[in-house]
Amino acid sequence: MEAVLLTEFSDPDAPIGGKARHIRWLLDHRRRVPATWVLPAGSGGHDPSEVPAWLSHDGPWAVRSSAAVEDGLESSYAGQFATFLDVSGPGEVAEAIRSVLASAQGSIAGTYRKRKGDSEPVAMAVIVQEMVPPVVSGVAFSRNPMTGMNEVVIEAVRGRGDALVGEGVTPERWIERWGGWTERPSGEAVLPESVAGTIAVETIRIAAEFESPVDLEWVWDG
């Protein structure tokens, strides 16, 4: 199972998918990103005995899709492929990798592809990323996704960020515009204001360097 640490990845034409390329962009711009390995599309076999050759420890790990069609400007394929969190041990990592690859041909992704009019097979790379123990997790948008306004929107939940989607948990919301909060949680917030401020500043900086609006995943470990 041939995997490459993203900080050591040098082939600009390798089929590593949109998500891995965006993570590599963050690393190249010296942003704080957990250790991340990528298996390019078409990497070959998935024998669990081969995994310890490149995993640095037993985990926990996040095993995620990075398809060529993901995270694009015209379509994101958000939630269409499998993701596995808190995966420990080489056997579980290998099984999760197999499941992510299989999800490229699954019924959920197939229905989405038909709706989008995509007929080409999905070229699926796989990301294996070190898990950060989450106190609070969430997403941040450099532009309000509902109104298009030039303001930072932060959504936060206790614990793992998949609660935002998979469990339907209502997040607390912070909105920053022109250096001040126009919306913030009432009562006791799950995210300290100082941390929310840091997230807002970083989101603005990343969008400026990327030269395009961005939406980011973040985690605070306390």
Side-chain angles (χ1 to χ4, degrees), residues 22-106:
H22 287 151
I23 293 173
R24 179 59 194 268
W25 184 94
L26 290 168
L27 289 165
D28 287 346
H29 287 76
R30 299 185 178 183
R31 290 313 194 273
R32 296 180 66 184
V33 178
T36 305
W37 299 79
V38 61
L39 288 83
S43 291
H46 312 293
D47 182 351
S49 66
E50 297 177 8
V51 175
W54 51 269
L55 278 187
S56 56
H57 54 78
D58 283 341
W61 300 91
V63 182
R64 313 178 67 190
S65 63
S66 183
V69 293
E70 281 187 279
D71 289 4
L73 294 177
E74 296 182 1
S75 63
S76 70
Y77 274 72
Q80 303 306 310
F81 304 117
T83 293
F84 298 90
L85 304 179
D86 286 320
V87 179
S88 296
E92 289 188 15
V93 169
E95 181 59 36
I97 290 170
R98 284 193 289 267
S99 297
V100 170
L101 291 169
S103 72
Q105 310 304 323

Side-chain angles (χ1 to χ4, degrees), residues 39-213:
L39 288 83
S43 291
H46 312 293
D47 182 351
S49 66
E50 297 177 8
V51 175
W54 51 269
L55 278 187
S56 56
H57 54 78
D58 283 341
W61 300 91
V63 182
R64 313 178 67 190
S65 63
S66 183
V69 293
E70 281 187 279
D71 289 4
L73 294 177
E74 296 182 1
S75 63
S76 70
Y77 274 72
Q80 303 306 310
F81 304 117
T83 293
F84 298 90
L85 304 179
D86 286 320
V87 179
S88 296
E92 289 188 15
V93 169
E95 181 59 36
I97 290 170
R98 284 193 289 267
S99 297
V100 170
L101 291 169
S103 72
Q105 310 304 323
S107 59
I108 295 175
T111 300
Y112 185 87
R113 289 171 61 208
K114 286 181 181 178
R115 192 163 64 244
K116 296 290 294 182
D118 294 341
S119 58
E120 295 296 319
V122 174
M124 178 64 77
V126 181
I127 292 166
V128 180
Q129 191 168 45
E130 193 172 33
M131 287 283 296
V132 175
V135 174
V136 185
S137 305
V139 294
F141 303 87
S142 66
R143 182 175 293 173
N144 192 315
M146 300 300 293
T147 66
M149 290 187 65
N150 188 24
E151 58 189 8
V152 177
V153 178
I154 300 168
E155 295 185 340
V157 294
R158 295 188 189 277
R160 291 188 345 193
D162 55 330
L164 272 170
V165 179
E167 299 175 21
V169 174
T170 301
E172 70 175 26
R173 180 173 288 109
W174 301 72
I175 299 180
E176 189 269 358
R177 189 191 314 156
W178 304 322
W181 300 114
T182 61
E183 182 178 333
R184 55 177 296 162
S186 59
E188 184 178 356
V190 303
L191 190 66
E193 182 177 0
S194 60
V195 179
T198 298
I199 294 169
V201 168
E202 276 295 281
T203 300
I204 293 168
R205 287 175 178 169
I206 289 170
E209 292 179 26
F210 195 65
E211 299 181 343
S212 177

Side-chain angles (χ1 to χ4, degrees), residues 4 6 9-18 20-21 38-43 66 68 123 125:
V4 181
L6 269 182
F9 211 90
S10 58
D11 184 354
D13 299 318
I16 62 173
R21 291 198 182 281
V38 61
L39 288 83
S43 291
S66 183

